[in-house]
Amino acid sequence: MKKVLFVLLLAASFLGCDDGNVSVEAFDFETATTRECGEGTDDFFIYKINGREVLIIELNETIFPNRITTSDNPIVLQIPTAAQVTYRLYDGEVTESTLCSVVPPAQPQVLEEWTATGGTLEITTGVVNPTTTTGSTIITGFSHNLIFRDIVFDRGNGITQRNETILFGSYVRSNIYRPTTFENIDIQSCTANNLLFKSSGLQLLALNLSQETYNSLIVNQATTTGNPRTALLDDNDQVFFNVHRTNLNADLICNNNLPTIEKSYISESGIANQSGIITVETTETAGIFTHTIRFRRVILKDTEQALNFTFGDNYLFGELQTN
């Protein structure tokens, strides 16, 4: 009887070995803060720290889009060809210098290191546009949610581990095309057309009016309090915001010799009493007329993707003087 029992136990032990493959090992990185190293270089990577554990993703920085992607149509990267993933367990506290220093510190030391050999990384992206009291919905950044699917780790010594799903969590990057603060920049105009604009470095914010609309708004006559002149934006009267590849100046803008556009937003047509409204209040002092121009919930839409924002419900574009 004892011999039979021994044979049964031995057989059970062989059945449970699965050739060195391990399929269950928990990861808990979702709530940890995502950090990056090597931004703007070929050595870029992102990582998360959970106590003595670290999960590292090496990938091309340009993979992260400045656009919205959805969970039913994510960006999918193959591991390890498009994204290299590494798990490490250290013998002490892990800090940024542990991972990002050119010469890593002597401590802590790596106890275990697993390299991912298969699976996919899914990236879905949404916008970050904090709510403001002015109604502004300027996009300040993009939040990228990362999920590993069917990821396989080589744990060494012939042991592999497969995880069906690992939630890496979110990684927020700043919007490189975020509008600058135009409030303290003077409005300029072009003598050959009705373009009113502000520029700062690579960026251009402009109001392009038809002759008829310009003549109805910019009038050398004072308006009464609470009764500004108004116009509704349409295909002929537009606000646009551009980010160009090289710096701008008035000559380039007025001669329509603009450098290459990297990003462009154009106003949507206005809706009476709701959005897309230009208002002008005019005062007069010693024969000089000051026209205060505001954008009432002007919605600017990306010309390439489904992104839009507004500078606010009652945004001060600036003042234009005439005589």
Side-chain angles (χ1 to χ4, degrees), residues 53-89:
E53 298 177 285
V54 178
L55 194 57
I56 301 169
I57 308 175
E58 299 173 76
L59 73 175
N60 192 316
E61 190 174 0
T62 61
I63 287 295
F64 296 103
N66 287 325
R67 58 183 173 85
I68 296 172
T69 62
T70 57
S71 58
D72 59 350
N73 188 30
I75 292 173
V76 179
L77 304 180
Q78 297 297 319
I79 299 170
T81 53
Q84 294 79 51
V85 184
T86 305
Y87 166 82
R88 289 179 189 161
L89 174 64

PDB file of all heavy atoms in Angstrom, residues 53-89:
ATOM      1  N   GLU A  53       9.579  47.004  -6.176  1.00  0.00           N
ATOM      2  CA  GLU A  53       9.332  46.488  -7.515  1.00  0.00           C
ATOM      3  C   GLU A  53       9.273  47.633  -8.529  1.00  0.00           C
ATOM      4  O   GLU A  53       8.814  48.729  -8.215  1.00  0.00           O
ATOM      5  CB  GLU A  53       8.009  45.728  -7.562  1.00  0.00           C
ATOM      6  CG  GLU A  53       7.942  44.511  -6.670  1.00  0.00           C
ATOM      7  CD  GLU A  53       6.556  43.879  -6.740  1.00  0.00           C
ATOM      8  OE1 GLU A  53       5.624  44.450  -6.140  1.00  0.00           O
ATOM      9  OE2 GLU A  53       6.418  42.840  -7.398  1.00  0.00           O
ATOM     10  N   VAL A  54       9.713  47.338  -9.751  1.00  0.00           N
ATOM     11  CA  VAL A  54       9.682  48.325 -10.833  1.00  0.00           C
ATOM     12  C   VAL A  54       9.209  47.637 -12.110  1.00  0.00           C
ATOM     13  O   VAL A  54       9.611  46.504 -12.407  1.00  0.00           O
ATOM     14  CB  VAL A  54      11.077  48.935 -11.083  1.00  0.00           C
ATOM     15  CG1 VAL A  54      11.033  49.917 -12.252  1.00  0.00           C
ATOM     16  CG2 VAL A  54      11.587  49.633  -9.841  1.00  0.00           C
ATOM     17  N   LEU A  55       8.361  48.344 -12.875  1.00  0.00           N
ATOM     18  CA  LEU A  55       7.933  47.882 -14.194  1.00  0.00           C
ATOM     19  C   LEU A  55       8.333  48.961 -15.196  1.00  0.00           C
ATOM     20  O   LEU A  55       7.930  50.119 -15.065  1.00  0.00           O
ATOM     21  CB  LEU A  55       6.425  47.648 -14.222  1.00  0.00           C
ATOM     22  CG  LEU A  55       5.870  46.864 -15.413  1.00  0.00           C
ATOM     23  CD1 LEU A  55       6.525  45.491 -15.518  1.00  0.00           C
ATOM     24  CD2 LEU A  55       4.357  46.709 -15.297  1.00  0.00           C
ATOM     25  N   ILE A  56       9.141  48.567 -16.175  1.00  0.00           N
ATOM     26  CA  ILE A  56       9.741  49.507 -17.126  1.00  0.00           C
ATOM     27  C   ILE A  56       9.246  49.205 -18.537  1.00  0.00           C
ATOM     28  O   ILE A  56       9.177  48.040 -18.944  1.00  0.00           O
ATOM     29  CB  ILE A  56      11.281  49.403 -17.091  1.00  0.00           C
ATOM     30  CG1 ILE A  56      11.804  49.698 -15.683  1.00  0.00           C
ATOM     31  CG2 ILE A  56      11.917  50.344 -18.107  1.00  0.00           C
ATOM     32  CD1 ILE A  56      13.279  49.352 -15.499  1.00  0.00           C
ATOM     33  N   ILE A  57       8.911  50.274 -19.286  1.00  0.00           N
ATOM     34  CA  ILE A  57       8.525  50.132 -20.688  1.00  0.00           C
ATOM     35  C   ILE A  57       9.435  51.020 -21.528  1.00  0.00           C
ATOM     36  O   ILE A  57       9.453  52.237 -21.378  1.00  0.00           O
ATOM     37  CB  ILE A  57       7.063  50.541 -20.934  1.00  0.00           C
ATOM     38  CG1 ILE A  57       6.112  49.820 -19.985  1.00  0.00           C
ATOM     39  CG2 ILE A  57       6.675  50.257 -22.383  1.00  0.00           C
ATOM     40  CD1 ILE A  57       4.665  50.278 -20.105  1.00  0.00           C
ATOM     41  N   GLU A  58      10.190  50.412 -22.427  1.00  0.00           N
ATOM     42  CA  GLU A  58      11.022  51.148 -23.374  1.00  0.00           C
ATOM     43  C   GLU A  58      10.310  51.152 -24.722  1.00  0.00           C
ATOM     44  O   GLU A  58       9.968  50.093 -25.254  1.00  0.00           O
ATOM     45  CB  GLU A  58      12.394  50.485 -23.507  1.00  0.00           C
ATOM     46  CG  GLU A  58      13.189  50.431 -22.210  1.00  0.00           C
ATOM     47  CD  GLU A  58      14.460  49.626 -22.365  1.00  0.00           C
ATOM     48  OE1 GLU A  58      15.415  50.163 -22.977  1.00  0.00           O
ATOM     49  OE2 GLU A  58      14.498  48.470 -21.898  1.00  0.00           O
ATOM     50  N   LEU A  59      10.095  52.351 -25.265  1.00  0.00           N
ATOM     51  CA  LEU A  59       9.396  52.485 -26.540  1.00  0.00           C
ATOM     52  C   LEU A  59       9.709  53.835 -27.141  1.00  0.00           C
ATOM     53  O   LEU A  59      10.283  54.710 -26.475  1.00  0.00           O
ATOM     54  CB  LEU A  59       7.896  52.295 -26.367  1.00  0.00           C
ATOM     55  CG  LEU A  59       7.052  53.390 -25.691  1.00  0.00           C
ATOM     56  CD1 LEU A  59       5.572  53.026 -25.744  1.00  0.00           C
ATOM     57  CD2 LEU A  59       7.455  53.667 -24.268  1.00  0.00           C
ATOM     58  N   ASN A  60       9.329  54.015 -28.400  1.00  0.00           N
ATOM     59  CA  ASN A  60       9.557  55.284 -29.073  1.00  0.00           C
ATOM     60  C   ASN A  60       8.634  56.343 -28.476  1.00  0.00           C
ATOM     61  O   ASN A  60       7.417  56.148 -28.402  1.00  0.00           O
ATOM     62  CB  ASN A  60       9.290  55.124 -30.573  1.00  0.00           C
ATOM     63  CG  ASN A  60       9.780  56.312 -31.380  1.00  0.00           C
ATOM     64  OD1 ASN A  60       9.572  57.457 -30.991  1.00  0.00           O
ATOM     65  ND2 ASN A  60      10.419  56.038 -32.500  1.00  0.00           N
ATOM     66  N   GLU A  61       9.199  57.456 -28.095  1.00  0.00           N
ATOM     67  CA  GLU A  61       8.423  58.520 -27.442  1.00  0.00           C
ATOM     68  C   GLU A  61       7.309  59.052 -28.333  1.00  0.00           C
ATOM     69  O   GLU A  61       6.259  59.486 -27.846  1.00  0.00           O
ATOM     70  CB  GLU A  61       9.371  59.648 -27.048  1.00  0.00           C
ATOM     71  CG  GLU A  61       8.776  60.714 -26.172  1.00  0.00           C
ATOM     72  CD  GLU A  61       9.829  61.708 -25.718  1.00  0.00           C
ATOM     73  OE1 GLU A  61      11.009  61.557 -26.082  1.00  0.00           O
ATOM     74  OE2 GLU A  61       9.452  62.653 -24.995  1.00  0.00           O
ATOM     75  N   THR A  62       7.513  59.009 -29.649  1.00  0.00           N
ATOM     76  CA  THR A  62       6.516  59.550 -30.575  1.00  0.00           C
ATOM     77  C   THR A  62       5.293  58.648 -30.721  1.00  0.00           C
ATOM     78  O   THR A  62       4.327  59.022 -31.394  1.00  0.00           O
ATOM     79  CB  THR A  62       7.136  59.773 -31.966  1.00  0.00           C
ATOM     80  OG1 THR A  62       7.605  58.514 -32.486  1.00  0.00           O
ATOM     81  CG2 THR A  62       8.308  60.742 -31.894  1.00  0.00           C
ATOM     82  N   ILE A  63       5.335  57.479 -30.104  1.00  0.00           N
ATOM     83  CA  ILE A  63       4.184  56.563 -30.156  1.00  0.00           C
ATOM     84  C   ILE A  63       2.953  57.199 -29.509  1.00  0.00           C
ATOM     85  O   ILE A  63       1.821  56.985 -29.943  1.00  0.00           O
ATOM     86  CB  ILE A  63       4.516  55.236 -29.441  1.00  0.00           C
ATOM     87  CG1 ILE A  63       5.483  54.403 -30.298  1.00  0.00           C
ATOM     88  CG2 ILE A  63       3.267  54.437 -29.130  1.00  0.00           C
ATOM     89  CD1 ILE A  63       4.894  53.927 -31.614  1.00  0.00           C
ATOM     90  N   PHE A  64       3.159  58.010 -28.476  1.00  0.00           N
ATOM     91  CA  PHE A  64       2.035  58.582 -27.742  1.00  0.00           C
ATOM     92  C   PHE A  64       1.405  59.700 -28.564  1.00  0.00           C
ATOM     93  O   PHE A  64       2.046  60.717 -28.840  1.00  0.00           O
ATOM     94  CB  PHE A  64       2.488  59.110 -26.381  1.00  0.00           C
ATOM     95  CG  PHE A  64       2.990  58.037 -25.470  1.00  0.00           C
ATOM     96  CD1 PHE A  64       4.346  57.856 -25.255  1.00  0.00           C
ATOM     97  CD2 PHE A  64       2.106  57.177 -24.838  1.00  0.00           C
ATOM     98  CE1 PHE A  64       4.807  56.857 -24.423  1.00  0.00           C
ATOM     99  CE2 PHE A  64       2.553  56.170 -23.996  1.00  0.00           C
ATOM    100  CZ  PHE A  64       3.910  56.005 -23.801  1.00  0.00           C
ATOM    101  N   PRO A  65       0.144  59.542 -28.952  1.00  0.00           N
ATOM    102  CA  PRO A  65      -0.463  60.495 -29.887  1.00  0.00           C
ATOM    103  C   PRO A  65      -1.040  61.725 -29.201  1.00  0.00           C
ATOM    104  O   PRO A  65      -1.482  61.659 -28.053  1.00  0.00           O
ATOM    105  CB  PRO A  65      -1.591  59.673 -30.516  1.00  0.00           C
ATOM    106  CG  PRO A  65      -2.017  58.751 -29.406  1.00  0.00           C
ATOM    107  CD  PRO A  65      -0.759  58.424 -28.635  1.00  0.00           C
ATOM    108  N   ASN A  66      -1.033  62.847 -29.922  1.00  0.00           N
ATOM    109  CA  ASN A  66      -1.741  64.047 -29.469  1.00  0.00           C
ATOM    110  C   ASN A  66      -3.139  64.041 -30.076  1.00  0.00           C
ATOM    111  O   ASN A  66      -3.558  64.968 -30.784  1.00  0.00           O
ATOM    112  CB  ASN A  66      -0.978  65.314 -29.881  1.00  0.00           C
ATOM    113  CG  ASN A  66       0.266  65.529 -29.057  1.00  0.00           C
ATOM    114  OD1 ASN A  66       0.296  65.222 -27.879  1.00  0.00           O
ATOM    115  ND2 ASN A  66       1.306  66.017 -29.683  1.00  0.00           N
ATOM    116  N   ARG A  67      -3.860  62.970 -29.829  1.00  0.00           N
ATOM    117  CA  ARG A  67      -5.209  62.809 -30.348  1.00  0.00           C
ATOM    118  C   ARG A  67      -5.941  61.780 -29.484  1.00  0.00           C
ATOM    119  O   ARG A  67      -5.335  61.079 -28.681  1.00  0.00           O
ATOM    120  CB  ARG A  67      -5.197  62.342 -31.807  1.00  0.00           C
ATOM    121  CG  ARG A  67      -4.461  61.032 -32.040  1.00  0.00           C
ATOM    122  CD  ARG A  67      -4.422  60.674 -33.519  1.00  0.00           C
ATOM    123  NE  ARG A  67      -3.590  59.512 -33.783  1.00  0.00           N
ATOM    124  CZ  ARG A  67      -3.991  58.258 -33.697  1.00  0.00           C
ATOM    125  NH1 ARG A  67      -5.246  57.996 -33.349  1.00  0.00           N
ATOM    126  NH2 ARG A  67      -3.183  57.252 -33.965  1.00  0.00           N
ATOM    127  N   ILE A  68      -7.234  61.699 -29.686  1.00  0.00           N
ATOM    128  CA  ILE A  68      -8.051  60.765 -28.921  1.00  0.00           C
ATOM    129  C   ILE A  68      -8.045  59.400 -29.611  1.00  0.00           C
ATOM    130  O   ILE A  68      -8.208  59.304 -30.818  1.00  0.00           O
ATOM    131  CB  ILE A  68      -9.497  61.286 -28.793  1.00  0.00           C
ATOM    132  CG1 ILE A  68      -9.520  62.599 -27.996  1.00  0.00           C
ATOM    133  CG2 ILE A  68     -10.397  60.254 -28.148  1.00  0.00           C
ATOM    134  CD1 ILE A  68     -10.874  63.278 -27.990  1.00  0.00           C
ATOM    135  N   THR A  69      -7.809  58.357 -28.821  1.00  0.00           N
ATOM    136  CA  THR A  69      -8.018  56.988 -29.297  1.00  0.00           C
ATOM    137  C   THR A  69      -8.944  56.306 -28.300  1.00  0.00           C
ATOM    138  O   THR A  69      -8.914  56.609 -27.104  1.00  0.00           O
ATOM    139  CB  THR A  69      -6.702  56.199 -29.409  1.00  0.00           C
ATOM    140  OG1 THR A  69      -6.092  56.098 -28.107  1.00  0.00           O
ATOM    141  CG2 THR A  69      -5.738  56.885 -30.356  1.00  0.00           C
ATOM    142  N   THR A  70      -9.751  55.382 -28.772  1.00  0.00           N
ATOM    143  CA  THR A  70     -10.763  54.757 -27.917  1.00  0.00           C
ATOM    144  C   THR A  70     -10.399  53.317 -27.602  1.00  0.00           C
ATOM    145  O   THR A  70      -9.548  52.706 -28.258  1.00  0.00           O
ATOM    146  CB  THR A  70     -12.140  54.797 -28.607  1.00  0.00           C
ATOM    147  OG1 THR A  70     -12.036  54.138 -29.885  1.00  0.00           O
ATOM    148  CG2 THR A  70     -12.588  56.234 -28.830  1.00  0.00           C
ATOM    149  N   SER A  71     -11.082  52.760 -26.607  1.00  0.00           N
ATOM    150  CA  SER A  71     -10.796  51.396 -26.168  1.00  0.00           C
ATOM    151  C   SER A  71     -11.135  50.362 -27.239  1.00  0.00           C
ATOM    152  O   SER A  71     -10.557  49.269 -27.244  1.00  0.00           O
ATOM    153  CB  SER A  71     -11.565  51.085 -24.877  1.00  0.00           C
ATOM    154  OG  SER A  71     -12.957  51.258 -25.078  1.00  0.00           O
ATOM    155  N   ASP A  72     -12.056  50.701 -28.141  1.00  0.00           N
ATOM    156  CA  ASP A  72     -12.391  49.759 -29.211  1.00  0.00           C
ATOM    157  C   ASP A  72     -11.497  49.921 -30.437  1.00  0.00           C
ATOM    158  O   ASP A  72     -11.590  49.157 -31.394  1.00  0.00           O
ATOM    159  CB  ASP A  72     -13.863  49.878 -29.609  1.00  0.00           C
ATOM    160  CG  ASP A  72     -14.215  51.279 -30.096  1.00  0.00           C
ATOM    161  OD1 ASP A  72     -13.382  52.192 -29.939  1.00  0.00           O
ATOM    162  OD2 ASP A  72     -15.322  51.463 -30.624  1.00  0.00           O
ATOM    163  N   ASN A  73     -10.604  50.921 -30.392  1.00  0.00           N
ATOM    164  CA  ASN A  73      -9.644  51.115 -31.484  1.00  0.00           C
ATOM    165  C   ASN A  73      -8.337  51.679 -30.928  1.00  0.00           C
ATOM    166  O   ASN A  73      -7.882  52.754 -31.317  1.00  0.00           O
ATOM    167  CB  ASN A  73     -10.236  52.054 -32.542  1.00  0.00           C
ATOM    168  CG  ASN A  73      -9.373  52.124 -33.782  1.00  0.00           C
ATOM    169  OD1 ASN A  73      -8.681  51.172 -34.136  1.00  0.00           O
ATOM    170  ND2 ASN A  73      -9.389  53.272 -34.444  1.00  0.00           N
ATOM    171  N   PRO A  74      -7.699  50.928 -30.026  1.00  0.00           N
ATOM    172  CA  PRO A  74      -6.483  51.445 -29.396  1.00  0.00           C
ATOM    173  C   PRO A  74      -5.273  51.330 -30.318  1.00  0.00           C
ATOM    174  O   PRO A  74      -5.310  50.628 -31.337  1.00  0.00           O
ATOM    175  CB  PRO A  74      -6.323  50.514 -28.189  1.00  0.00           C
ATOM    176  CG  PRO A  74      -6.878  49.204 -28.669  1.00  0.00           C
ATOM    177  CD  PRO A  74      -8.049  49.579 -29.554  1.00  0.00           C
ATOM    178  N   ILE A  75      -4.205  52.033 -29.959  1.00  0.00           N
ATOM    179  CA  ILE A  75      -2.905  51.771 -30.576  1.00  0.00           C
ATOM    180  C   ILE A  75      -2.392  50.468 -29.973  1.00  0.00           C
ATOM    181  O   ILE A  75      -2.409  50.289 -28.753  1.00  0.00           O
ATOM    182  CB  ILE A  75      -1.937  52.925 -30.305  1.00  0.00           C
ATOM    183  CG1 ILE A  75      -2.390  54.182 -31.053  1.00  0.00           C
ATOM    184  CG2 ILE A  75      -0.511  52.563 -30.705  1.00  0.00           C
ATOM    185  CD1 ILE A  75      -1.594  55.410 -30.720  1.00  0.00           C
ATOM    186  N   VAL A  76      -1.934  49.546 -30.809  1.00  0.00           N
ATOM    187  CA  VAL A  76      -1.472  48.244 -30.329  1.00  0.00           C
ATOM    188  C   VAL A  76      -0.002  48.069 -30.711  1.00  0.00           C
ATOM    189  O   VAL A  76       0.348  48.149 -31.897  1.00  0.00           O
ATOM    190  CB  VAL A  76      -2.321  47.093 -30.909  1.00  0.00           C
ATOM    191  CG1 VAL A  76      -1.795  45.745 -30.411  1.00  0.00           C
ATOM    192  CG2 VAL A  76      -3.791  47.271 -30.537  1.00  0.00           C
ATOM    193  N   LEU A  77       0.840  47.840 -29.712  1.00  0.00           N
ATOM    194  CA  LEU A  77       2.265  47.621 -29.930  1.00  0.00           C
ATOM    195  C   LEU A  77       2.615  46.178 -29.605  1.00  0.00           C
ATOM    196  O   LEU A  77       2.186  45.645 -28.572  1.00  0.00           O
ATOM    197  CB  LEU A  77       3.098  48.558 -29.051  1.00  0.00           C
ATOM    198  CG  LEU A  77       2.832  50.064 -29.178  1.00  0.00           C
ATOM    199  CD1 LEU A  77       3.741  50.833 -28.235  1.00  0.00           C
ATOM    200  CD2 LEU A  77       3.023  50.532 -30.614  1.00  0.00           C
ATOM    201  N   GLN A  78       3.396  45.565 -30.464  1.00  0.00           N
ATOM    202  CA  GLN A  78       3.844  44.200 -30.226  1.00  0.00           C
ATOM    203  C   GLN A  78       5.051  44.204 -29.294  1.00  0.00           C
ATOM    204  O   GLN A  78       5.944  45.046 -29.406  1.00  0.00           O
ATOM    205  CB  GLN A  78       4.213  43.511 -31.552  1.00  0.00           C
ATOM    206  CG  GLN A  78       3.049  43.361 -32.525  1.00  0.00           C
ATOM    207  CD  GLN A  78       1.942  42.481 -31.978  1.00  0.00           C
ATOM    208  OE1 GLN A  78       2.204  41.452 -31.353  1.00  0.00           O
ATOM    209  NE2 GLN A  78       0.697  42.888 -32.218  1.00  0.00           N
ATOM    210  N   ILE A  79       5.048  43.254 -28.372  1.00  0.00           N
ATOM    211  CA  ILE A  79       6.161  43.067 -27.436  1.00  0.00           C
ATOM    212  C   ILE A  79       6.945  41.840 -27.899  1.00  0.00           C
ATOM    213  O   ILE A  79       6.342  40.797 -28.174  1.00  0.00           O
ATOM    214  CB  ILE A  79       5.632  42.840 -26.007  1.00  0.00           C
ATOM    215  CG1 ILE A  79       4.816  44.053 -25.527  1.00  0.00           C
ATOM    216  CG2 ILE A  79       6.754  42.529 -25.038  1.00  0.00           C
ATOM    217  CD1 ILE A  79       4.067  43.823 -24.237  1.00  0.00           C
ATOM    218  N   PRO A  80       8.280  41.912 -28.030  1.00  0.00           N
ATOM    219  CA  PRO A  80       9.174  43.010 -27.650  1.00  0.00           C
ATOM    220  C   PRO A  80       9.617  43.890 -28.813  1.00  0.00           C
ATOM    221  O   PRO A  80      10.498  44.724 -28.639  1.00  0.00           O
ATOM    222  CB  PRO A  80      10.368  42.254 -27.087  1.00  0.00           C
ATOM    223  CG  PRO A  80      10.460  41.045 -27.972  1.00  0.00           C
ATOM    224  CD  PRO A  80       9.043  40.680 -28.318  1.00  0.00           C
ATOM    225  N   THR A  81       9.042  43.723 -30.031  1.00  0.00           N
ATOM    226  CA  THR A  81       9.564  44.464 -31.176  1.00  0.00           C
ATOM    227  C   THR A  81       9.329  45.965 -31.090  1.00  0.00           C
ATOM    228  O   THR A  81      10.218  46.769 -31.394  1.00  0.00           O
ATOM    229  CB  THR A  81       8.948  43.916 -32.487  1.00  0.00           C
ATOM    230  OG1 THR A  81       7.521  43.920 -32.349  1.00  0.00           O
ATOM    231  CG2 THR A  81       9.421  42.497 -32.764  1.00  0.00           C
ATOM    232  N   ALA A  82       8.130  46.382 -30.655  1.00  0.00           N
ATOM    233  CA  ALA A  82       7.800  47.818 -30.582  1.00  0.00           C
ATOM    234  C   ALA A  82       7.843  48.358 -29.162  1.00  0.00           C
ATOM    235  O   ALA A  82       7.868  49.570 -28.960  1.00  0.00           O
ATOM    236  CB  ALA A  82       6.416  48.061 -31.181  1.00  0.00           C
ATOM    237  N   ALA A  83       7.828  47.490 -28.183  1.00  0.00           N
ATOM    238  CA  ALA A  83       7.904  47.907 -26.774  1.00  0.00           C
ATOM    239  C   ALA A  83       8.632  46.822 -25.992  1.00  0.00           C
ATOM    240  O   ALA A  83       8.273  45.641 -26.066  1.00  0.00           O
ATOM    241  CB  ALA A  83       6.509  48.131 -26.198  1.00  0.00           C
ATOM    242  N   GLN A  84       9.658  47.226 -25.260  1.00  0.00           N
ATOM    243  CA  GLN A  84      10.404  46.288 -24.428  1.00  0.00           C
ATOM    244  C   GLN A  84       9.976  46.491 -22.970  1.00  0.00           C
ATOM    245  O   GLN A  84       9.999  47.620 -22.465  1.00  0.00           O
ATOM    246  CB  GLN A  84      11.911  46.504 -24.567  1.00  0.00           C
ATOM    247  CG  GLN A  84      12.454  46.187 -25.963  1.00  0.00           C
ATOM    248  CD  GLN A  84      12.208  47.299 -26.962  1.00  0.00           C
ATOM    249  OE1 GLN A  84      12.537  48.463 -26.690  1.00  0.00           O
ATOM    250  NE2 GLN A  84      11.618  46.975 -28.102  1.00  0.00           N
ATOM    251  N   VAL A  85       9.582  45.425 -22.330  1.00  0.00           N
ATOM    252  CA  VAL A  85       9.034  45.506 -20.977  1.00  0.00           C
ATOM    253  C   VAL A  85       9.910  44.690 -20.032  1.00  0.00           C
ATOM    254  O   VAL A  85      10.254  43.541 -20.335  1.00  0.00           O
ATOM    255  CB  VAL A  85       7.584  44.980 -20.934  1.00  0.00           C
ATOM    256  CG1 VAL A  85       6.996  45.155 -19.526  1.00  0.00           C
ATOM    257  CG2 VAL A  85       6.726  45.704 -21.968  1.00  0.00           C
ATOM    258  N   THR A  86      10.249  45.302 -18.891  1.00  0.00           N
ATOM    259  CA  THR A  86      11.107  44.644 -17.909  1.00  0.00           C
ATOM    260  C   THR A  86      10.516  44.803 -16.519  1.00  0.00           C
ATOM    261  O   THR A  86      10.079  45.901 -16.157  1.00  0.00           O
ATOM    262  CB  THR A  86      12.531  45.244 -17.919  1.00  0.00           C
ATOM    263  OG1 THR A  86      13.061  45.172 -19.243  1.00  0.00           O
ATOM    264  CG2 THR A  86      13.449  44.501 -16.968  1.00  0.00           C
ATOM    265  N   TYR A  87      10.509  43.715 -15.774  1.00  0.00           N
ATOM    266  CA  TYR A  87      10.107  43.738 -14.355  1.00  0.00           C
ATOM    267  C   TYR A  87      11.350  43.489 -13.511  1.00  0.00           C
ATOM    268  O   TYR A  87      12.134  42.591 -13.808  1.00  0.00           O
ATOM    269  CB  TYR A  87       9.064  42.668 -14.069  1.00  0.00           C
ATOM    270  CG  TYR A  87       8.858  42.404 -12.585  1.00  0.00           C
ATOM    271  CD1 TYR A  87       8.036  43.229 -11.819  1.00  0.00           C
ATOM    272  CD2 TYR A  87       9.505  41.338 -11.955  1.00  0.00           C
ATOM    273  CE1 TYR A  87       7.864  43.002 -10.465  1.00  0.00           C
ATOM    274  CE2 TYR A  87       9.331  41.108 -10.599  1.00  0.00           C
ATOM    275  CZ  TYR A  87       8.511  41.937  -9.855  1.00  0.00           C
ATOM    276  OH  TYR A  87       8.354  41.713  -8.505  1.00  0.00           O
ATOM    277  N   ARG A  88      11.511  44.304 -12.449  1.00  0.00           N
ATOM    278  CA  ARG A  88      12.654  44.127 -11.550  1.00  0.00           C
ATOM    279  C   ARG A  88      12.198  44.145 -10.098  1.00  0.00           C
ATOM    280  O   ARG A  88      11.282  44.904  -9.733  1.00  0.00           O
ATOM    281  CB  ARG A  88      13.692  45.237 -11.742  1.00  0.00           C
ATOM    282  CG  ARG A  88      14.471  45.163 -13.032  1.00  0.00           C
ATOM    283  CD  ARG A  88      15.454  46.310 -13.125  1.00  0.00           C
ATOM    284  NE  ARG A  88      16.071  46.391 -14.444  1.00  0.00           N
ATOM    285  CZ  ARG A  88      16.674  47.468 -14.921  1.00  0.00           C
ATOM    286  NH1 ARG A  88      16.746  48.567 -14.163  1.00  0.00           N
ATOM    287  NH2 ARG A  88      17.210  47.461 -16.121  1.00  0.00           N
ATOM    288  N   LEU A  89      12.868  43.342  -9.302  1.00  0.00           N
ATOM    289  CA  LEU A  89      12.707  43.354  -7.855  1.00  0.00           C
ATOM    290  C   LEU A  89      14.061  43.686  -7.254  1.00  0.00           C
ATOM    291  O   LEU A  89      15.069  43.020  -7.538  1.00  0.00           O
ATOM    292  CB  LEU A  89      12.231  41.994  -7.346  1.00  0.00           C
ATOM    293  CG  LEU A  89      12.159  41.832  -5.826  1.00  0.00           C
ATOM    294  CD1 LEU A  89      11.112  42.779  -5.228  1.00  0.00           C
ATOM    295  CD2 LEU A  89      11.855  40.383  -5.451  1.00  0.00           C
TER     296      LEU A  89
END
